[in-house]
Amino acid sequence: MIPKNHPRYQSLLSRDKIVNAYKSGILADAGMIAHGRGEAFDYLIGEKTTNTAEKTIETAAAALILAKDPVISVNGNTAALVPEHVVNLAGILNAKLEINLFYRTPERVKAVWNVLKDHGAEKILGTENEDFKHVKGLNGPRSNVSPEGIYNADVVLVPLEDGDRTEALVNAGKFVIAIDLNPLSRTSKTASLTIVDNIIRTMPCLIDKVNKLKNKDPEELNKLLDNFDNIDNLKESLKVMLNSIENFE
Amino acid sequence: MIPKNHPRYQSLLSRDKIVNAYKSGILADAGMIAHGRGEAFDYLIGEKTTNTAEKTIETAAAALILAKDPVISVNGNTAALVPEHVVNLAGILNAKLEINLFYRTPERVKAVWNVLKDHGAEKILGTENEDFKHVKGLNGPRSNVSPEGIYNADVVLVPLEDGDRTEALVNAGKFVIAIDLNPLSRTSKTASLTIVDNIIRTMPCLIDKVNKLKNKDPEELNKLLDNFDNIDNLKESLKVMLNSIENFE
């Protein structure tokens, strides 16, 4: 029981969710360690959504609204931390959900599927029964994507994705939206748009932005995308981290 | 099997050791996540011992050689990653080993004890059979220290320690040497001397420095300590991290 007034309540709650997900088979070992890496970078941005991240989330909302065939990719950490928001966002956008695990086993796929179903997901792609297509530039089971899902998608939201896969999806011509607390990672640099923020804050904010923008003129939404440069965006987040390091003492 | 020529071989090997230690009951959940946090900061210093860290390790060696009653505190992550070096260093310094766990259970104490014994440790303090003394300013089982060990020590090496305990030990008048990859942590700021480096690189380097300095004139060793300022030292490590962020792209 973490007291709600604990200064790091949200962070400790996330940690609890991650540990429980690990114990229930949703997360691989690496997923638990990756969570710790995220904690360190979150610490450097002050454990809050920065102004620059909020603007980026708004641009991501525009891209998702404009998409013809948006897909939300779900890995173990995402299912552990924000299953309710993922299902909610898919509903609002009429986007598809696709399970996509780095350390893929039938058991883990089933565990993630259960979590999404428990939170009201209707259709879930990326399960074991599909006739997967391969993404060029990737090997092994990680190259598999659903023919109905990521394979045909124009915009893919990949929270907490690895560099190889991000690169392959970008090379396949997709607009890839990553959520990654490390602005220096290959994923961050390779994605079309990188939200440098904690997924537990990003998802509710993204839903809010989608709701606010969804009835806007597409031209206005396109303008947000035209004015966006991902490297400049990453540099803004790095500045925030630099400041938090420089303000030491 | 991680190929030895993998660019991140050491990091992946450490991760393997951490996962195995978690599965064998040496590590608590938090220990696995803490390892991930360390990975992030290690990444920012380029996954190598910086020049400033090496100088700090040399000063730590001097403090340990000059100590009347040095104690090496051992937690789960330390036992998982560098048990052989911990036992070796204790032997060279004639220092005591004391088990000191944040999430203390009799099972975990026994597991750490086994690892240290397997690596040749003779006497191990901090087990369940002792009549513990309390350190002022701490509550619960974490306030317990061995009367033969940390309670009477003048210099304590606490790899990967938390802020509360570091502060309490410093307040008790001890010279506390911390190994912490996060120069912004409360542990780093509170310790008498903080080595901002990965423990897997620090321990062999520390052993090397102790061997080189142990026959030197105590005056020379004292000079190293007189010239040391921990806040300046942390700022040097922060500069390295700043540079790695600024050299982005």
Side-chain angles (χ1 to χ4, degrees), chain A residues 15 19 22-23 29-30 32-33 36-37 39-41 43-44 182-184 189 231 234-235 238 242 245-246 248-249, chain B residues 15 19 22-23 29-30 32-33 36-37 39-41 43-44 182-184 189 231 234-235 238 242 245-246 248-249:
Chain A
R15 195 182 279 184
V19 170
Y22 180 75
K23 289 181 178 162
D29 307 324
M32 193 131 127
I33 292 174
R37 276 204 306 284
E39 277 188 1
F41 287 105
Y43 184 88
L44 289 178
N182 178 3
L184 300 163
K189 293 183 199 173
I231 296 299
L234 293 175
K235 284 181 182 168
L238 286 167
L242 279 176
I245 292 179
E246 277 169 349
F248 172 68
E249 265 190 320
Chain B
R15 197 183 279 186
V19 170
Y22 180 75
K23 288 180 179 163
D29 307 324
M32 194 131 125
I33 293 174
R37 276 204 305 283
E39 278 188 2
F41 287 104
Y43 184 88
L44 290 177
N182 178 3
L184 300 164
K189 293 184 200 174
I231 297 299
L234 294 174
K235 283 181 181 166
L238 286 166
L242 279 175
I245 291 179
E246 277 168 349
F248 172 70
E249 264 190 321

Tab-separated table of all heavy atoms in Angstrom, chain A residues 15 19 22-23 29-30 32-33 36-37 39-41 43-44 182-184 189 231 234-235 238 242 245-246 248-249, chain B residues 15 19 22-23 29-30 32-33 36-37 39-41 43-44 182-184 189 231 234-235 238 242 245-246 248-249:
chain	number	residue	atom	x	y	z
A	15	ARG	N	5.855	1.123	-10.558
A	15	ARG	CA	6.798	0.051	-10.247
A	15	ARG	C	6.049	-1.191	-9.777
A	15	ARG	O	6.367	-2.314	-10.172
A	15	ARG	CB	7.770	0.532	-9.178
A	15	ARG	CG	8.968	-0.345	-9.060
A	15	ARG	CD	9.870	0.109	-7.978
A	15	ARG	NE	10.720	1.217	-8.390
A	15	ARG	CZ	11.666	1.718	-7.590
A	15	ARG	NH1	11.849	1.250	-6.374
A	15	ARG	NH2	12.422	2.697	-8.023
A	19	VAL	N	6.121	-4.873	-11.519
A	19	VAL	CA	6.496	-6.092	-10.784
A	19	VAL	C	5.381	-7.130	-10.892
A	19	VAL	O	5.628	-8.309	-11.160
A	19	VAL	CB	6.814	-5.761	-9.309
A	19	VAL	CG1	6.955	-7.037	-8.489
A	19	VAL	CG2	8.092	-4.940	-9.217
A	22	TYR	N	5.331	-8.633	-14.317
A	22	TYR	CA	6.443	-9.584	-14.472
A	22	TYR	C	6.065	-10.923	-13.860
A	22	TYR	O	6.235	-11.977	-14.465
A	22	TYR	CB	7.689	-9.027	-13.800
A	22	TYR	CG	8.903	-9.915	-13.899
A	22	TYR	CD1	9.604	-10.016	-15.089
A	22	TYR	CD2	9.349	-10.641	-12.808
A	22	TYR	CE1	10.724	-10.828	-15.193
A	22	TYR	CE2	10.467	-11.455	-12.897
A	22	TYR	CZ	11.153	-11.548	-14.092
A	22	TYR	OH	12.261	-12.345	-14.191
A	23	LYS	N	5.507	-10.843	-12.643
A	23	LYS	CA	5.144	-12.078	-11.928
A	23	LYS	C	4.010	-12.824	-12.616
A	23	LYS	O	3.917	-14.037	-12.515
A	23	LYS	CB	4.800	-11.766	-10.478
A	23	LYS	CG	6.068	-11.392	-9.705
A	23	LYS	CD	5.825	-11.099	-8.250
A	23	LYS	CE	7.170	-10.792	-7.580
A	23	LYS	NZ	7.014	-10.097	-6.315
A	29	ASP	N	12.064	-10.507	-18.540
A	29	ASP	CA	13.071	-9.946	-17.630
A	29	ASP	C	13.495	-8.560	-18.093
A	29	ASP	O	13.586	-7.618	-17.321
A	29	ASP	CB	14.355	-10.807	-17.628
A	29	ASP	CG	14.085	-12.273	-17.356
A	29	ASP	OD1	13.187	-12.562	-16.549
A	29	ASP	OD2	14.777	-13.119	-17.958
A	30	ALA	N	13.775	-8.478	-19.384
A	30	ALA	CA	14.286	-7.226	-19.937
A	30	ALA	C	13.279	-6.094	-19.759
A	30	ALA	O	13.666	-4.933	-19.641
A	30	ALA	CB	14.608	-7.403	-21.413
A	32	MET	N	11.415	-5.520	-17.181
A	32	MET	CA	11.535	-4.970	-15.830
A	32	MET	C	12.761	-4.050	-15.754
A	32	MET	O	12.707	-2.978	-15.168
A	32	MET	CB	11.664	-6.130	-14.844
A	32	MET	CG	11.473	-5.693	-13.436
A	32	MET	SD	10.303	-6.759	-12.583
A	32	MET	CE	11.251	-7.207	-11.150
A	33	ILE	N	13.855	-4.488	-16.348
A	33	ILE	CA	15.070	-3.661	-16.341
A	33	ILE	C	14.846	-2.395	-17.168
A	33	ILE	O	15.257	-1.306	-16.786
A	33	ILE	CB	16.275	-4.490	-16.836
A	33	ILE	CG1	16.589	-5.585	-15.798
A	33	ILE	CG2	17.492	-3.601	-17.067
A	33	ILE	CD1	17.654	-6.572	-16.206
A	36	GLY	N	13.310	0.340	-15.263
A	36	GLY	CA	14.266	1.074	-14.436
A	36	GLY	C	15.022	2.131	-15.237
A	36	GLY	O	15.239	3.251	-14.770
A	37	ARG	N	15.405	1.787	-16.465
A	37	ARG	CA	16.073	2.782	-17.320
A	37	ARG	C	15.160	3.975	-17.532
A	37	ARG	O	15.582	5.119	-17.459
A	37	ARG	CB	16.429	2.172	-18.686
A	37	ARG	CG	17.725	1.417	-18.707
A	37	ARG	CD	18.307	1.347	-20.114
A	37	ARG	NE	17.373	0.804	-21.083
A	37	ARG	CZ	17.067	-0.484	-21.201
A	37	ARG	NH1	17.619	-1.374	-20.409
A	37	ARG	NH2	16.218	-0.886	-22.113
A	39	GLU	N	12.831	5.037	-15.577
A	39	GLU	CA	12.752	5.809	-14.326
A	39	GLU	C	13.873	6.844	-14.254
A	39	GLU	O	13.659	7.972	-13.829
A	39	GLU	CB	12.888	4.876	-13.111
A	39	GLU	CG	11.617	4.173	-12.686
A	39	GLU	CD	11.806	3.416	-11.356
A	39	GLU	OE1	12.903	3.463	-10.769
A	39	GLU	OE2	10.838	2.767	-10.929
A	40	ALA	N	15.068	6.445	-14.663
A	40	ALA	CA	16.220	7.352	-14.579
A	40	ALA	C	16.014	8.567	-15.475
A	40	ALA	O	16.257	9.711	-15.067
A	40	ALA	CB	17.498	6.614	-14.980
A	41	PHE	N	15.553	8.342	-16.705
A	41	PHE	CA	15.350	9.475	-17.611
A	41	PHE	C	14.157	10.320	-17.166
A	41	PHE	O	14.165	11.541	-17.311
A	41	PHE	CB	15.190	8.992	-19.058
A	41	PHE	CG	16.481	8.522	-19.661
A	41	PHE	CD1	16.755	7.176	-19.833
A	41	PHE	CD2	17.448	9.438	-20.050
A	41	PHE	CE1	17.957	6.741	-20.368
A	41	PHE	CE2	18.656	9.029	-20.591
A	41	PHE	CZ	18.916	7.672	-20.755
A	43	TYR	N	13.288	10.870	-14.156
A	43	TYR	CA	13.860	11.661	-13.069
A	43	TYR	C	14.510	12.933	-13.632
A	43	TYR	O	14.347	14.025	-13.100
A	43	TYR	CB	14.883	10.766	-12.377
A	43	TYR	CG	15.548	11.333	-11.167
A	43	TYR	CD1	14.983	11.195	-9.905
A	43	TYR	CD2	16.775	11.976	-11.267
A	43	TYR	CE1	15.616	11.691	-8.777
A	43	TYR	CE2	17.418	12.479	-10.153
A	43	TYR	CZ	16.835	12.335	-8.909
A	43	TYR	OH	17.464	12.824	-7.798
A	44	LEU	N	15.220	12.784	-14.758
A	44	LEU	CA	15.928	13.925	-15.353
A	44	LEU	C	14.982	14.955	-15.989
A	44	LEU	O	15.375	16.094	-16.201
A	44	LEU	CB	16.940	13.440	-16.407
A	44	LEU	CG	18.177	12.705	-15.873
A	44	LEU	CD1	19.050	12.234	-17.029
A	44	LEU	CD2	18.993	13.605	-14.951
A	182	ASN	N	14.074	8.133	-23.241
A	182	ASN	CA	15.480	8.399	-23.553
A	182	ASN	C	15.608	9.084	-24.908
A	182	ASN	O	15.528	8.428	-25.949
A	182	ASN	CB	16.257	7.085	-23.551
A	182	ASN	CG	17.717	7.273	-23.920
A	182	ASN	OD1	18.178	8.399	-24.122
A	182	ASN	ND2	18.450	6.176	-24.004
A	183	PRO	N	15.853	10.399	-24.911
A	183	PRO	CA	15.933	11.114	-26.190
A	183	PRO	C	17.169	10.737	-27.004
A	183	PRO	O	17.264	11.094	-28.178
A	183	PRO	CB	15.973	12.584	-25.782
A	183	PRO	CG	16.354	12.611	-24.357
A	183	PRO	CD	16.036	11.281	-23.750
A	184	LEU	N	18.107	10.029	-26.365
A	184	LEU	CA	19.332	9.648	-27.065
A	184	LEU	C	19.240	8.257	-27.694
A	184	LEU	O	20.155	7.815	-28.369
A	184	LEU	CB	20.517	9.659	-26.087
A	184	LEU	CG	20.825	10.990	-25.397
A	184	LEU	CD1	21.719	10.762	-24.187
A	184	LEU	CD2	21.488	11.962	-26.362
A	189	LYS	N	15.672	8.639	-32.096
A	189	LYS	CA	16.243	9.335	-33.251
A	189	LYS	C	15.633	8.878	-34.562
A	189	LYS	O	15.594	9.620	-35.534
A	189	LYS	CB	17.764	9.107	-33.300
A	189	LYS	CG	18.517	9.759	-32.148
A	189	LYS	CD	20.008	9.531	-32.354
A	189	LYS	CE	20.791	9.725	-31.074
A	189	LYS	NZ	22.203	9.349	-31.224
A	231	ILE	N	14.082	15.977	-34.740
A	231	ILE	CA	15.396	16.206	-34.113
A	231	ILE	C	15.351	17.472	-33.249
A	231	ILE	O	15.835	17.487	-32.108
A	231	ILE	CB	16.517	16.261	-35.182
A	231	ILE	CG1	16.640	14.898	-35.905
A	231	ILE	CG2	17.855	16.646	-34.560
A	231	ILE	CD1	16.991	13.702	-35.027
A	234	LEU	N	13.610	16.530	-30.108
A	234	LEU	CA	14.453	15.796	-29.152
A	234	LEU	C	15.419	16.739	-28.445
A	234	LEU	O	15.676	16.611	-27.246
A	234	LEU	CB	15.234	14.683	-29.868
A	234	LEU	CG	14.382	13.540	-30.434
A	234	LEU	CD1	15.254	12.573	-31.231
A	234	LEU	CD2	13.663	12.789	-29.311
A	235	LYS	N	15.923	17.712	-29.213
A	235	LYS	CA	16.855	18.673	-28.601
A	235	LYS	C	16.185	19.471	-27.488
A	235	LYS	O	16.825	19.822	-26.492
A	235	LYS	CB	17.413	19.619	-29.675
A	235	LYS	CG	18.477	18.963	-30.531
A	235	LYS	CD	19.014	19.936	-31.567
A	235	LYS	CE	20.054	19.267	-32.461
A	235	LYS	NZ	20.369	20.100	-33.642
A	238	LEU	N	16.206	17.315	-24.501
A	238	LEU	CA	17.568	17.247	-23.965
A	238	LEU	C	17.901	18.505	-23.174
A	238	LEU	O	18.582	18.450	-22.154
A	238	LEU	CB	18.572	17.046	-25.105
A	238	LEU	CG	18.578	15.629	-25.680
A	238	LEU	CD1	19.335	15.578	-26.996
A	238	LEU	CD2	19.207	14.649	-24.693
A	242	LEU	N	19.360	18.789	-19.519
A	242	LEU	CA	20.568	19.581	-19.236
A	242	LEU	C	20.318	20.537	-18.082
A	242	LEU	O	21.130	20.661	-17.177
A	242	LEU	CB	20.963	20.391	-20.469
A	242	LEU	CG	21.733	19.667	-21.565
A	242	LEU	CD1	21.955	20.583	-22.763
A	242	LEU	CD2	23.089	19.193	-21.050
A	245	ILE	N	20.291	18.852	-14.793
A	245	ILE	CA	21.653	18.508	-14.359
A	245	ILE	C	22.407	19.759	-13.921
A	245	ILE	O	23.091	19.778	-12.900
A	245	ILE	CB	22.428	17.782	-15.492
A	245	ILE	CG1	21.811	16.384	-15.733
A	245	ILE	CG2	23.898	17.663	-15.154
A	245	ILE	CD1	22.465	15.584	-16.838
A	246	GLU	N	22.216	20.844	-14.675
A	246	GLU	CA	22.933	22.081	-14.346
A	246	GLU	C	22.449	22.722	-13.056
A	246	GLU	O	23.198	23.448	-12.394
A	246	GLU	CB	22.829	23.084	-15.510
A	246	GLU	CG	23.873	22.784	-16.578
A	246	GLU	CD	23.660	23.564	-17.864
A	246	GLU	OE1	22.579	24.176	-18.009
A	246	GLU	OE2	24.561	23.539	-18.710
A	248	PHE	N	21.939	21.348	-10.397
A	248	PHE	CA	22.421	20.513	-9.293
A	248	PHE	C	22.859	21.392	-8.113
A	248	PHE	O	23.435	22.439	-8.313
A	248	PHE	CB	23.604	19.690	-9.819
A	248	PHE	CG	24.346	18.916	-8.792
A	248	PHE	CD1	23.759	17.845	-8.154
A	248	PHE	CD2	25.638	19.260	-8.456
A	248	PHE	CE1	24.459	17.113	-7.213
A	248	PHE	CE2	26.346	18.537	-7.508
A	248	PHE	CZ	25.754	17.450	-6.889
A	249	GLU	N	22.566	20.935	-6.932
A	249	GLU	CA	22.897	21.569	-5.616
A	249	GLU	C	21.749	22.374	-5.052
A	249	GLU	O	20.630	22.283	-5.454
A	249	GLU	CB	24.103	22.479	-5.684
A	249	GLU	CG	25.362	21.738	-5.262
A	249	GLU	CD	26.515	22.709	-5.103
A	249	GLU	OE1	26.609	23.619	-5.945
A	249	GLU	OE2	27.282	22.558	-4.160
B	15	ARG	N	23.348	-7.821	-17.023
B	15	ARG	CA	21.906	-7.993	-16.989
B	15	ARG	C	21.554	-9.464	-16.731
B	15	ARG	O	20.660	-9.760	-15.947
B	15	ARG	CB	21.316	-7.519	-18.319
B	15	ARG	CG	19.850	-7.271	-18.237
B	15	ARG	CD	19.287	-6.877	-19.557
B	15	ARG	NE	19.497	-5.466	-19.844
B	15	ARG	CZ	18.965	-4.882	-20.919
B	15	ARG	NH1	18.259	-5.588	-21.789
B	15	ARG	NH2	19.164	-3.602	-21.119
B	19	VAL	N	19.371	-10.878	-13.609
B	19	VAL	CA	18.162	-11.694	-13.787
B	19	VAL	C	18.308	-13.028	-13.045
B	19	VAL	O	17.393	-13.467	-12.341
B	19	VAL	CB	17.874	-11.922	-15.291
B	19	VAL	CG1	16.789	-12.966	-15.479
B	19	VAL	CG2	17.477	-10.612	-15.962
B	22	TYR	N	17.949	-12.471	-9.371
B	22	TYR	CA	16.545	-12.246	-9.011
B	22	TYR	C	15.832	-13.588	-8.908
B	22	TYR	O	15.116	-13.852	-7.943
B	22	TYR	CB	15.898	-11.367	-10.073
B	22	TYR	CG	14.434	-11.066	-9.818
B	22	TYR	CD1	14.060	-10.149	-8.844
B	22	TYR	CD2	13.434	-11.692	-10.547
B	22	TYR	CE1	12.725	-9.858	-8.605
B	22	TYR	CE2	12.095	-11.419	-10.316
B	22	TYR	CZ	11.753	-10.494	-9.346
B	22	TYR	OH	10.427	-10.219	-9.112
B	23	LYS	N	16.082	-14.427	-9.902
B	23	LYS	CA	15.400	-15.718	-9.922
B	23	LYS	C	15.864	-16.640	-8.797
B	23	LYS	O	15.110	-17.488	-8.345
B	23	LYS	CB	15.600	-16.400	-11.285
B	23	LYS	CG	14.771	-15.679	-12.345
B	23	LYS	CD	14.895	-16.278	-13.721
B	23	LYS	CE	13.997	-15.503	-14.695
B	23	LYS	NZ	14.344	-15.732	-16.097
B	29	ASP	N	12.571	-7.319	-6.045
B	29	ASP	CA	12.050	-6.699	-7.272
B	29	ASP	C	12.754	-5.368	-7.542
B	29	ASP	O	13.169	-5.069	-8.653
B	29	ASP	CB	10.553	-6.373	-7.133
B	29	ASP	CG	9.735	-7.570	-6.697
B	29	ASP	OD1	10.059	-8.689	-7.122
B	29	ASP	OD2	8.764	-7.372	-5.935
B	30	ALA	N	12.826	-4.577	-6.484
B	30	ALA	CA	13.383	-3.230	-6.628
B	30	ALA	C	14.830	-3.274	-7.111
B	30	ALA	O	15.291	-2.355	-7.782
B	30	ALA	CB	13.294	-2.478	-5.307
B	32	MET	N	16.098	-5.290	-9.292
B	32	MET	CA	16.129	-5.472	-10.748
B	32	MET	C	15.837	-4.134	-11.439
B	32	MET	O	16.494	-3.774	-12.414
B	32	MET	CB	15.092	-6.519	-11.142
B	32	MET	CG	15.275	-7.011	-12.535
B	32	MET	SD	15.257	-8.796	-12.593
B	32	MET	CE	13.983	-9.099	-13.779
B	33	ILE	N	14.869	-3.421	-10.913
B	33	ILE	CA	14.533	-2.113	-11.494
B	33	ILE	C	15.675	-1.123	-11.272
B	33	ILE	O	16.022	-0.350	-12.166
B	33	ILE	CB	13.192	-1.607	-10.918
B	33	ILE	CG1	12.055	-2.528	-11.422
B	33	ILE	CG2	12.934	-0.161	-11.299
B	33	ILE	CD1	10.703	-2.253	-10.831
B	36	GLY	N	18.256	-1.305	-13.877
B	36	GLY	CA	17.902	-0.576	-15.090
B	36	GLY	C	18.206	0.914	-14.979
B	36	GLY	O	18.699	1.525	-15.920
B	37	ARG	N	17.911	1.489	-13.821
B	37	ARG	CA	18.235	2.911	-13.612
B	37	ARG	C	19.726	3.136	-13.783
B	37	ARG	O	20.155	4.091	-14.427
B	37	ARG	CB	17.813	3.355	-12.216
B	37	ARG	CG	16.367	3.760	-12.093
B	37	ARG	CD	16.140	4.704	-10.923
B	37	ARG	NE	16.629	4.157	-9.667
B	37	ARG	CZ	16.013	3.230	-8.954
B	37	ARG	NH1	14.869	2.735	-9.369
B	37	ARG	NH2	16.527	2.788	-7.831
B	39	GLU	N	21.775	1.376	-15.554
B	39	GLU	CA	22.117	1.256	-16.984
B	39	GLU	C	21.982	2.590	-17.701
B	39	GLU	O	22.796	2.947	-18.547
B	39	GLU	CB	21.186	0.244	-17.674
B	39	GLU	CG	21.572	-1.208	-17.512
B	39	GLU	CD	20.701	-2.133	-18.381
B	39	GLU	OE1	19.830	-1.630	-19.122
B	39	GLU	OE2	20.897	-3.356	-18.309
B	40	ALA	N	20.916	3.331	-17.365
B	40	ALA	CA	20.669	4.609	-18.042
B	40	ALA	C	21.787	5.603	-17.761
B	40	ALA	O	22.295	6.270	-18.667
B	40	ALA	CB	19.327	5.181	-17.595
B	41	PHE	N	22.185	5.692	-16.491
B	41	PHE	CA	23.247	6.647	-16.152
B	41	PHE	C	24.593	6.170	-16.698
B	41	PHE	O	25.425	6.980	-17.099
B	41	PHE	CB	23.305	6.878	-14.638
B	41	PHE	CG	22.158	7.706	-14.131
B	41	PHE	CD1	21.102	7.142	-13.457
B	41	PHE	CD2	22.138	9.078	-14.363
B	41	PHE	CE1	20.034	7.907	-13.001
B	41	PHE	CE2	21.076	9.860	-13.923
B	41	PHE	CZ	20.022	9.276	-13.239
B	43	TYR	N	25.061	4.614	-19.418
B	43	TYR	CA	24.981	4.997	-20.827
B	43	TYR	C	25.446	6.445	-21.013
B	43	TYR	O	26.181	6.771	-21.947
B	43	TYR	CB	23.525	4.816	-21.249
B	43	TYR	CG	23.202	5.061	-22.686
B	43	TYR	CD1	23.303	4.037	-23.630
B	43	TYR	CD2	22.763	6.317	-23.108
B	43	TYR	CE1	22.980	4.271	-24.953
B	43	TYR	CE2	22.439	6.552	-24.428
B	43	TYR	CZ	22.548	5.526	-25.348
B	43	TYR	OH	22.232	5.767	-26.657
B	44	LEU	N	25.029	7.313	-20.080
B	44	LEU	CA	25.375	8.741	-20.184
B	44	LEU	C	26.853	9.019	-19.909
B	44	LEU	O	27.366	10.069	-20.307
B	44	LEU	CB	24.514	9.579	-19.237
B	44	LEU	CG	23.025	9.708	-19.598
B	44	LEU	CD1	22.280	10.504	-18.537
B	44	LEU	CD2	22.854	10.389	-20.962
B	182	ASN	N	24.277	7.447	-10.356
B	182	ASN	CA	23.484	8.679	-10.461
B	182	ASN	C	24.085	9.771	-9.593
B	182	ASN	O	23.906	9.774	-8.373
B	182	ASN	CB	22.044	8.393	-10.026
B	182	ASN	CG	21.174	9.635	-10.054
B	182	ASN	OD1	21.623	10.712	-10.445
B	182	ASN	ND2	19.933	9.494	-9.633
B	183	PRO	N	24.786	10.733	-10.197
B	183	PRO	CA	25.431	11.767	-9.391
B	183	PRO	C	24.422	12.718	-8.748
B	183	PRO	O	24.781	13.497	-7.878
B	183	PRO	CB	26.301	12.521	-10.407
B	183	PRO	CG	25.774	12.169	-11.741
B	183	PRO	CD	25.023	10.889	-11.629
B	184	LEU	N	23.162	12.640	-9.160
B	184	LEU	CA	22.139	13.520	-8.604
B	184	LEU	C	21.402	12.887	-7.424
B	184	LEU	O	20.564	13.529	-6.803
B	184	LEU	CB	21.113	13.875	-9.691
B	184	LEU	CG	21.644	14.600	-10.927
B	184	LEU	CD1	20.626	14.519	-12.058
B	184	LEU	CD2	21.968	16.043	-10.615
B	189	LYS	N	25.022	12.687	-3.092
B	189	LYS	CA	25.271	13.996	-2.479
B	189	LYS	C	25.636	13.884	-1.004
B	189	LYS	O	26.321	14.737	-0.463
B	189	LYS	CB	24.021	14.873	-2.609
B	189	LYS	CG	23.696	15.265	-4.049
B	189	LYS	CD	22.502	16.199	-4.046
B	189	LYS	CE	21.819	16.241	-5.403
B	189	LYS	NZ	20.576	17.035	-5.358
B	231	ILE	N	31.501	17.276	-3.665
B	231	ILE	CA	30.585	18.010	-4.550
B	231	ILE	C	31.301	18.372	-5.862
B	231	ILE	O	30.756	18.196	-6.958
B	231	ILE	CB	29.994	19.252	-3.836
B	231	ILE	CG1	29.141	18.813	-2.625
B	231	ILE	CG2	29.155	20.087	-4.797
B	231	ILE	CD1	27.938	17.925	-2.950
B	234	LEU	N	31.387	15.252	-7.900
B	234	LEU	CA	30.122	14.948	-8.580
B	234	LEU	C	29.925	15.854	-9.788
B	234	LEU	O	29.444	15.423	-10.839
B	234	LEU	CB	28.945	15.097	-7.604
B	234	LEU	CG	28.907	14.082	-6.453
B	234	LEU	CD1	27.789	14.424	-5.478
B	234	LEU	CD2	28.739	12.660	-6.976
B	235	LYS	N	30.322	17.110	-9.627
B	235	LYS	CA	30.178	18.055	-10.754
B	235	LYS	C	30.991	17.606	-11.965
B	235	LYS	O	30.590	17.800	-13.107
B	235	LYS	CB	30.602	19.462	-10.324
B	235	LYS	CG	29.543	20.148	-9.474
B	235	LYS	CD	29.987	21.556	-9.097
B	235	LYS	CE	28.934	22.226	-8.231
B	235	LYS	NZ	29.476	23.447	-7.579
B	238	LEU	N	29.015	14.988	-13.666
B	238	LEU	CA	27.883	15.614	-14.350
B	238	LEU	C	28.329	16.254	-15.656
B	238	LEU	O	27.612	16.221	-16.657
B	238	LEU	CB	27.222	16.654	-13.444
B	238	LEU	CG	26.380	16.042	-12.314
B	238	LEU	CD1	26.037	17.077	-11.259
B	238	LEU	CD2	25.104	15.421	-12.870
B	242	LEU	N	26.808	15.798	-19.266
B	242	LEU	CA	26.401	16.944	-20.072
B	242	LEU	C	27.009	16.863	-21.463
B	242	LEU	O	26.334	17.080	-22.466
B	242	LEU	CB	26.867	18.256	-19.420
B	242	LEU	CG	26.013	18.796	-18.283
B	242	LEU	CD1	26.677	20.016	-17.665
B	242	LEU	CD2	24.620	19.156	-18.767
B	245	ILE	N	25.326	14.389	-23.637
B	245	ILE	CA	24.033	14.890	-24.111
B	245	ILE	C	24.241	15.962	-25.184
B	245	ILE	O	23.553	15.982	-26.203
B	245	ILE	CB	23.199	15.453	-22.929
B	245	ILE	CG1	22.759	14.308	-22.005
B	245	ILE	CG2	21.967	16.206	-23.438
B	245	ILE	CD1	21.962	14.727	-20.793
B	246	GLU	N	25.227	16.829	-24.944
B	246	GLU	CA	25.464	17.912	-25.912
B	246	GLU	C	26.007	17.411	-27.242
B	246	GLU	O	25.817	18.042	-28.278
B	246	GLU	CB	26.415	18.966	-25.312
B	246	GLU	CG	25.653	19.947	-24.436
B	246	GLU	CD	26.562	20.825	-23.604
B	246	GLU	OE1	27.777	20.555	-23.534
B	246	GLU	OE2	26.032	21.784	-23.007
B	248	PHE	N	25.014	15.056	-28.876
B	248	PHE	CA	23.909	14.398	-29.576
B	248	PHE	C	23.964	14.714	-31.066
B	248	PHE	O	24.245	15.831	-31.454
B	248	PHE	CB	22.602	14.912	-28.958
B	248	PHE	CG	21.355	14.479	-29.673
B	248	PHE	CD1	20.951	13.159	-29.638
B	248	PHE	CD2	20.583	15.399	-30.358
B	248	PHE	CE1	19.785	12.770	-30.282
B	248	PHE	CE2	19.422	15.020	-30.998
B	248	PHE	CZ	19.028	13.695	-30.963
B	249	GLU	N	23.674	13.728	-31.835
B	249	GLU	CA	23.617	13.742	-33.318
B	249	GLU	C	24.886	13.246	-33.982
B	249	GLU	O	25.811	12.812	-33.367
B	249	GLU	CB	23.283	15.110	-33.892
B	249	GLU	CG	21.801	15.237	-34.178
B	249	GLU	CD	21.519	16.514	-34.971
B	249	GLU	OE1	22.157	17.522	-34.662
B	249	GLU	OE2	20.703	16.452	-35.892
